[in-house]
Amino acid sequence: MKKHRAFLKWAGGKYGLSDVIRKMLPQGDCLIEPFVGAGSIFLNTDYDHYLLNDINQDLINLYQILKEQPQRFINDAQRVFTPENNQPEVYYQLRSEFNASDDPYFRSLIFLYMNRHGYNGLCRYNKSGGYNVPFGKYKKPYFPQAELEFFAEKAQRATFVCEGYRDTFARANTGDVIYCDPPYVPLSKTASFTSYAGNGFGLDEQADLANAAEEVSTEQGATVVISNHDTIWTRKIYENADKLKSIKVARTISQKGNGRKKVAELLVKYNKK
């Protein structure tokens, strides 16, 4: 199977792990992702139907628009990727227009532009909901035309929703497969980066997600696979899982380039059938 990259740069994206994760996912009619992010697992699996959720409304609006108006959106987005727009003053002007706008189409165009022109491909909002990633200073930001086209084509099999993960779990039917890629448990107190949508995903939510996974596999007959850091604490909250697999992964996000070492990740599976 040819591997497909997401069109967005994304902290914690699963492109590099998609083969390992795919092997843990059983067959089924529908793959449900309560934390879809940039969609690498969606793009690198083959299910008849997908239910893709994220708490980030900008992300879901962008996906919905790309599904419904692919050619118009791709053409308009390409016009924003010009050398003239790859300047800090233009970036900050567009960012400020984005934060002032409530038009989903305009916000989707600028969201893609900021994702490729902003610092390190981060997606971050302040407490009042304003996008606040600084300018990235790239020589020539890449316009992901082929990736956008592939996503738009595959999105015809997907339903996109923006809600809490518990609501998405409630939609699962017997035989469905759920893959969860939540914000990870921090490895250290300074490494906590969970504000993708301005909402914290703390230890209470981590434990609740493990409970939800166990419930949906027992009561609704769905299989659930979750990714997280491999720590004493995550092993404790996932102690009722049916399978645990630890893998070493090279980290690509770090303040210091030399700090990019391998860390252990955990893949857990709840499968009560």
Side-chain angles (χ1 to χ4, degrees):
M1 183 174 177
K2 178 180 185 285
K3 283 186 78 171
H4 294 276
R5 284 196 179 275
F7 66 85
L8 293 169
K9 293 159 85 171
W10 207 255
K14 288 293 174 291
Y15 177 80
L17 279 181
S18 58
D19 290 342
V20 182
I21 292 166
R22 190 171 67 236
K23 288 188 181 116
M24 276 193 84
L25 297 172
Q27 290 182 312
D29 292 333
C30 181
L31 178 69
I32 299 172
E33 289 199 60
F35 308 86
V36 68
S40 287
I41 301 306
F42 157 61
L43 294 168
N44 291 290
T45 50
D46 188 20
Y47 289 85
D48 290 342
H49 303 287
Y50 291 88
L51 175 62
L52 306 176
N53 174 68
D54 202 278
I55 201 74
N56 184 326
Q57 186 73 62
D58 287 317
L59 190 67
I60 295 303
N61 285 344
L62 165 56
Y63 291 167
Q64 193 65 38
I65 285 166
L66 189 54
K67 174 185 175 177
E68 290 166 3
Q69 312 173 58
Q71 215 45 61
R72 177 193 172 204
F73 180 82
I74 292 168
N75 291 345
D76 288 345
Q78 193 154 23
R79 291 189 197 106
V80 187
F81 279 65
T82 63
E84 298 75 42
N85 286 346
N86 190 26
Q87 312 286 341
E89 53 280 5
V90 180
Y91 176 89
Y92 290 116
Q93 175 62 34
L94 287 171
R95 190 182 77 174
S96 135
E97 289 174 19
F98 171 91
N99 284 332
S101 171
D102 55 10
D103 173 51
Y105 191 85
F106 174 77
R107 284 179 70 95
S108 294
L109 285 174
I110 305 308
F111 186 85
L112 173 59
Y113 159 84
M114 292 189 299
N115 175 263
R116 288 281 167 180
H117 291 72
Y119 180 75
N120 228 11
L122 292 176
C123 176
R124 195 184 61 197
Y125 299 78
N126 61 26
K127 287 198 166 51
S128 53
Y131 195 91
N132 66 356
V133 175
F135 183 62
K137 297 187 185 134
Y138 297 107
K139 279 199 177 131
K140 192 183 175 193
Y142 172 67
F143 181 68
Q145 180 161 348
E147 292 86 344
L148 284 160
E149 287 169 353
F150 182 79
F151 190 102
E153 183 188 341
K154 188 146 190 194
Q156 303 311 310
R157 291 192 233 168
T159 300
F160 296 102
V161 290
C162 181
E163 60 193 17
Y165 61 88
R166 277 273 183 181
D167 296 323
T168 309
F169 269 71
R171 297 170 182 261
N173 296 309
T174 304
D176 285 349
V177 181
I178 303 175
Y179 170 63
C180 296
D181 182 24
Y184 278 17
V185 169
L187 288 172
S188 67
K189 285 186 176 144
T190 56
S192 179
F193 178 77
T194 55
S195 54
Y196 292 110
N199 61 312
F201 196 87
L203 299 183
D204 288 351
E205 287 82 6
Q206 297 281 359
D208 181 62
L209 177 62
N211 290 338
E214 191 178 358
E215 287 160 22
V216 80
S217 73
T218 308
E219 295 160 21
Q220 283 150 272
T223 298
V224 187
V225 173
I226 306 177
S227 306
N228 215 319
H229 280 137
D230 187 353
T231 67
I232 293 167
W233 199 80
T234 50
R235 282 181 176 264
K236 177 70 184 156
I237 61 167
Y238 300 134
E239 65 186 356
N240 294 331
D242 299 281
K243 182 178 179 184
L244 282 84
K245 181 184 177 75
S246 188
I247 40 177
K248 291 275 193 237
V249 180
R251 269 283 165 268
T252 51
I253 289 202
S254 166
Q255 260 75 27
K256 308 179 201 72
N258 61 4
R260 303 185 177 198
K261 55 179 188 292
K262 290 205 165 183
V263 298
E265 288 203 9
L266 202 57
L267 283 169
V268 301
K269 184 190 266 190
Y270 292 83
N271 184 10
K272 298 292 181 226
K273 286 181 296 202

